[in-house]
Amino acid sequence: MLSRRTKTLEELLRWVEKDLPGEVAVHRMLPPRQAVTAPFGPLDPRLVAALAERGVTSLFTHQQRAVELACSGRNVAVVTPTASGKSLCYTIPVVQGILEDPAARALYLFPTKALSQDQMAELYALIEKTGADIRTFTYDGDTPSAARQKIRTAGHVVITNPDMLHTGILPHHTKWVKLFENLRYVVLDELHTYRGIFGSHLANTLRRLKRICAFYGSKPVFICCSATIRNPGELAEALLEEPVALVAENGAPRGEKHVLVYNPPLVNRQLGIRRSALLETARIATEALASRIPTIVFTRSRINVELLLTYIRQGLAACGGSPDIVAGYRGGYLPSERRTIEKGLRDGTILGVVSTNALELGVDIGSLSLALLHGYPGGIAAAWQQMGRAGRRSGLSAAILVASSFPLDQFLANQPDYLFNASPEHARINPNNLYILVNHVKCAAFEKPFVQGENLGTAETGDVLNYLEEQGVLHLAEGRYFWQDASFPAENVSLRSATSENYVILDVTHPERPVVLGEVDRPSAPMLIHPEAVYFHAGQPYQVMELDQEGMRCLVKRVDADYYTDADMAVRLQLLDVFDSAESWGWGEVLLASRPTVYKKIRLGTHENVGYGYVHLGEEQMHTTGMWLLFGEEVLPSGWSDDLRSSVLAGTAHLLRSTAPLFLMCDRTDISVHSHVRDPHWERGAIYLVDNVPGGVGLAETAFAMRGHLIRAAKEALAGCPCERGCPGCIGIFSGESGNVKASVRELLGMLGRASA
Amino acid sequence: MSDLRNRLERFFSPAPERKREQRQDRGYGEPGAEQGQNGTPDAISAHRREKGAAVGEFLGVRGLPEGKWLRRGVYLVESRHSLEEPHGTVPLRGLGESGVALSCWGGGSAPVFFDLETTGLAGGTGTYAFLAGVGRLEEHDFVVRQLFLASPAFEPDWLEMLEELLAEGTSLVSYNGRAYDMPLLQTRFALARRTSFLEELPHLDLLRLSRGVWKGDLESFRLVEVEKQVLRFVRGEEDVPGALVPELYGAYLRSGNAAVLDGVFLHNRWDILSLAALQSLLGRLASEGGTEARDCLRAGRLWARAGETEKASRFWRKAGEDPTQRSEAFRCLAQAAARRKEWPVAEEFWRASLSGGGFSLVPLVELSKIWEHRLRDMDKALVFAEEALRLLLGQRAFLPGPLWERQRMELRKRVERLRRRAAQQGPQQER
Ligand SMILES: [Zn+2]
């Protein structure tokens, strides 16, 4: 099936267009761009020499501008596409600053540990060449306690993550006196990830950081790097609450780049069934890798990573290639395993990698020629970030999106212009979200007593302090509020909504010496590692022998399975308490529970169902807050079938989910929506908008308070959307014979307006 | 504003009980806060005096034990204890001598015993100390000075006075002070934007020492447990469990009534007395080997950990004179010899330890190892390994299944290997 002759990338693209049975919905060429460079400016000769040794003799204009701004003491935010040399934007000012003043210190914040390790290596390589005694350390959960003391006092550059800053550094700031007294630069990389609730938490953490810096007499300059989003400058200023100079014009060169959307062929025209996008993706990846074209494959789930990996390896072996040139890379692999893969990618022993979105974050894996997207990742910015992983300063690169059978993917295949014309998502934060603010006021009071009249970024601080004093958490004496509680507040505040609890997977194939295989995060465990599941790790199947929920361990054994398992999850939303209501609206406490029910055994390769079993596990529960909107018989036209009602409610919920973040100042992923045609509690149609954070962070409450705006905005968004029958930007995509869902949603919203007027 | 208040209450509303309790605590001048202190000895309340109250009154503090205000917000309570009166079963005499005997671990001739009561165990910058007990020998008495911080607002002054008190001797003595109290003080000094010389003072941490001495003998090394088992001192009902201390200080801060802290003052004073008694006991152990043969073993362990192998061996040899401690003493001597790589000596001690009785798998295995790897006689090594295996097989009922199984696997492998090696080596040796 595979041609033996290797192909160039151009030939591969022609092969996809001409020889593959599917249809290329669009093929665009993005023209190459010349580099625009500028001289170094006044830098220390040691630094200039070190850069030259690493092959850098001039800077791209955006780098030069960022360096100039930072060195003159201005906060700066740089928008940096892949391969634009972003790390120099902060490395140069930082190293220059320390060369000028050896007491100066810098703090790097990366959202993930992997990035910290990566940047550490890169920074170290440059510093070594300057010959100066500049010490860089990573400080995170993995740092051995013996090394911590030294890092606190001797580290010039401390590389860490926001969570560690929040729980490990700020509450112990007296151990970091040297750092805080001399903190000159704070580097915030991957700025675009700090949006929604996570961003609101980070903004408050930065308020605390600046407060501690002021205590020790320093005022750091912030250097931020962001991938392309709609409002990078606005986001940076919202996070820092200081003026930030935006550097958006990219001076880096780019080779010619091709973007394709490929739709697998119809195998049953009447039922509209297409060939599996996963198998088609594997086929293209195999062909590319057999031709030694460096390739990255993105897919949405961990199971798919393993399946793609398995198929690509089988394909390579079938055409006489080495299966080891491709690796998986996803959450749950051990850090050492990841390091090995990253190294293999850099030195060329590994040519291809299959990933969820872990690599989207920017770990340096060298230059890749081809990015293959198995399915639309769900957002414009995310799609371009994934496609951007293939990109070279010169020469050809390409990105191919293989459309899956999901309605959203089929929409893109039918209207590929959407991909090129829709603007990337807006990043919003709300640092004054009361719930988040109160928690950080507590943390800040723990770090240093508040003086009466002192604010943590907002004038509401005083009221919060008085409230906490009344609660006995703070003690007011001589005009200052002292922490007066035995707890350690930062430990009870997670910056991220997702839990950090993981199951450890133990391979007990040889029971006398169990080996740690990897990890699975707690929410995914019921799905992936329930008893009897076949779990794939790095392409090798394992059978789950035991899931120890108390000990958070999962015992697995190597098996020779020709199938994998896929569990069905039952999700249940239950109303627990009504806090307030008005007309058909209300908000209160809800329970979101999920539980795997049955699992299917699915044969590798053919994906046919070869058996099933029941899963006996308890529910994963989350208590949070939710807002609801009810639809009685008076608003739902009696002529609508249950099928249409279901689609209309789901479409309305989707519309609310797209428009609500504007009012809630959150990210789409911070909320979830649920629609019930007949809600068990209210006994009528209902839509819920739920805080996607345990305990809730006030989003449902705000949504309830702003319900009038919410519905008006939804109507406007619907009216303003140019699509005919629905698109990802408004109500989502519906297939089947429900009729024109968009028109029906419009009708429903119209009736709502009348009912509440 | 009222809207914000409503939202705050909805988000963080405390349980109804807590609200009620706080309202009671708040009313300044209400006697309510005294409830729940039924163990409070009347004697202490009676001793309260109003002298020096001017500063205290200004702060609205009532109900402190007899003492005096040193500065605004800093209060001193002093108590004297006769050296004739033992603490538990341990007399407090000779604190200077015991300090010197422990100089190798930071002790000194004029020890200053100290212990802090804090607002929590969480660590970090939000935890502070409000009461420091400082004990030392003065003429014919053991004097405990307790420095009380009436409000966190006056911490800098309190720190300064504390530093003075602690610097009055040659060295500091604490229980877990190296890991807890001293870092906490460093944090407090840093927050006051000043440095302290306290960290440079010699510092004897009795917890570390106790762990080394009574390892395996005590289940817990909490001070109250060591007091009970070693000093035979049992605290009265008036004692406040350490876990309640932060809460009580919080109650005091809200009400201004320091009577709720009576039990905390007492608790802290007992801590200091126990420290003194414990040092006295450990000093005797280190210099004389204590009163019984087991203590000689412990003394040996103590010196061995300090790297004083000569001293350690002397104590072990002495312990070996007692038949009940012989096998353990010889094991210690064997291990010490092995550390010095004196293999024949180690071999001899291991063999001697076998005659002491007890479950002797360890010596047999060690003997087998020495013969195999050091003295290189596979036949002898095999004899000991086989003996060990035979012994283990008879012990099945006494060991946890997996442990027994693992040891059996290991021993069988050892025996098999030694059989092979003995077969290779055997003929040559016979010649
Ligand atoms: Zn639309």
Side-chain angles (χ1 to χ4, degrees), chain A residues 721-723 726-731 742:
Chain A
C721 195
C723 71
C727 74
C730 58
I731 60 165
K742 188 176 178 183

Side-chain angles (χ1 to χ4, degrees), chain B residues 63-82:
Chain B
L64 279 168
E66 184 182 325
K68 63 179 177 194
W69 291 97
L70 297 179
R71 284 191 197 173
R72 191 149 176 262
V74 184
Y75 189 79
L76 178 70
V77 176
E78 211 173 279
S79 61
R80 293 182 167 263
H81 302 260
S82 162

Side-chain angles (χ1 to χ4, degrees), chain B residues 111-240:
Chain B
V112 174
F113 302 88
F114 85 103
D115 189 58
L116 304 177
E117 304 305 326
T118 63
T119 59
L121 293 173
T125 48
T127 307
Y128 63 92
F130 64 89
L131 181 66
V134 181
R136 67 187 193 106
L137 217 50
E138 247 168 52
E139 289 161 33
H140 305 296
D141 290 325
F142 185 70
V143 182
V144 178
R145 296 203 171 78
Q146 292 176 291
L147 205 58
F148 176 67
L149 175 61
S151 155
F154 309 106
E155 195 187 26
D157 278 346
W158 183 86
L159 286 170
E160 197 178 306
M161 316 275 343
L162 178 63
E163 195 175 36
E164 270 175 37
L165 273 185
L166 290 177
E168 281 178 354
T170 54
S171 63
L172 297 173
V173 185
S174 71
Y175 201 76
N176 198 24
R178 278 171 181 272
Y180 184 75
D181 305 60
M182 201 44 80
L184 187 136
L185 284 179
Q186 293 303 325
T187 297
R188 304 321 300 173
F189 278 109
L191 269 167
R193 297 301 280 136
R194 40 164 301 194
T195 52
S196 163
F197 55 82
L198 288 177
E199 213 176 18
E200 268 98 76
L201 290 180
H203 184 155
L204 169 61
D205 189 332
L206 294 176
L207 171 62
R208 294 191 179 190
L209 221 53
S210 301
R211 279 219 177 101
V213 172
W214 291 292
K215 189 181 165 196
D217 298 334
L218 295 180
E219 272 182 30
S220 147
F221 283 91
R222 284 169 54 231
L223 185 56
V224 279
E225 207 53 39
V226 176
E227 278 172 354
K228 230 186 276 175
Q229 306 293 333
V230 178
L231 307 176
R232 308 274 165 215
F233 173 72
V234 179
R235 298 190 180 216
E237 271 187 19
E238 316 87 290
D239 186 52
V240 170

Side-chain angles (χ1 to χ4, degrees), chain A residues 103-316:
Chain A
R105 297 285 190 267
L107 185 66
Y108 282 28
L109 292 176
F110 291 96
T112 68
K113 276 186 207 165
L115 283 166
S116 307
Q117 295 290 344
D118 190 49
Q119 284 301 321
M120 162 93 187
E122 169 137 5
L123 183 61
Y124 188 75
L126 180 70
I127 284 170
E128 213 184 5
K129 296 223 158 39
T130 65
D133 180 25
I134 299 176
R135 294 174 200 186
T136 60
F137 296 100
T138 51
Y139 191 82
D140 56 34
D142 299 339
T143 307
S145 50
R148 296 188 172 199
Q149 175 73 28
K150 191 177 163 206
I151 297 172
R152 289 178 191 134
T153 50
H156 286 97
V157 182
V158 176
I159 302 174
T160 187
N161 51 60
D163 316 80
M164 199 63 186
L165 177 65
H166 158 65
T167 56
I169 297 179
L170 289 175
H172 297 284
H173 60 86
T174 51
K175 297 193 171 114
W176 297 84
V177 174
K178 278 262 180 306
L179 176 79
F180 287 117
E181 279 179 345
N182 301 292
L183 191 58
R184 181 110 165 237
Y185 291 109
V186 176
V187 171
L188 273 175
D189 204 349
E190 311 292 334
L191 194 76
H192 58 280
T193 58
Y194 302 120
R195 57 182 192 263
I197 298 303
F198 187 29
S200 307
H201 273 296
L202 182 79
N204 278 287
T205 308
L206 295 177
R207 287 170 169 176
R208 285 160 52 199
L209 170 67
K210 288 196 272 185
R211 185 169 176 262
I212 295 304
C213 286
F215 176 65
Y216 290 102
S218 63
K219 191 180 181 312
V221 169
F222 288 81
I223 309 173
C224 314
C225 294
S226 171
T228 303
I229 51 172
R230 201 184 300 179
N231 58 336
E234 193 188 1
L235 177 66
E237 295 201 337
L239 281 165
L240 301 182
E241 299 178 297
E242 287 177 17
V244 180
L246 180 68
V247 177
E249 48 312 316
N250 179 15
R254 187 187 63 196
E256 185 178 313
K257 179 156 185 172
H258 292 251
V259 177
L260 284 74
V261 174
Y262 172 78
N263 205 5
L266 278 166
V267 287
N268 184 324
R269 199 162 287 278
Q270 261 148 354
L271 296 177
I273 298 172
R274 288 177 186 275
R275 188 178 286 176
S276 154
L278 190 131
L279 293 174
E280 291 289 281
T281 306
R283 186 176 176 191
I284 300 172
T286 307
E287 188 67 27
L289 288 168
S291 298
R292 303 201 65 77
I293 297 171
T295 300
I296 182 162
V297 183
F298 286 104
T299 182
R300 279 183 292 214
S301 72
R302 276 168 282 192
I303 288 182
N304 284 347
V305 169
E306 298 294 341
L307 291 177
L308 281 166
L309 182 62
T310 306
Y311 297 156
I312 296 169
R313 283 183 174 168
Q314 284 170 356
L316 286 170

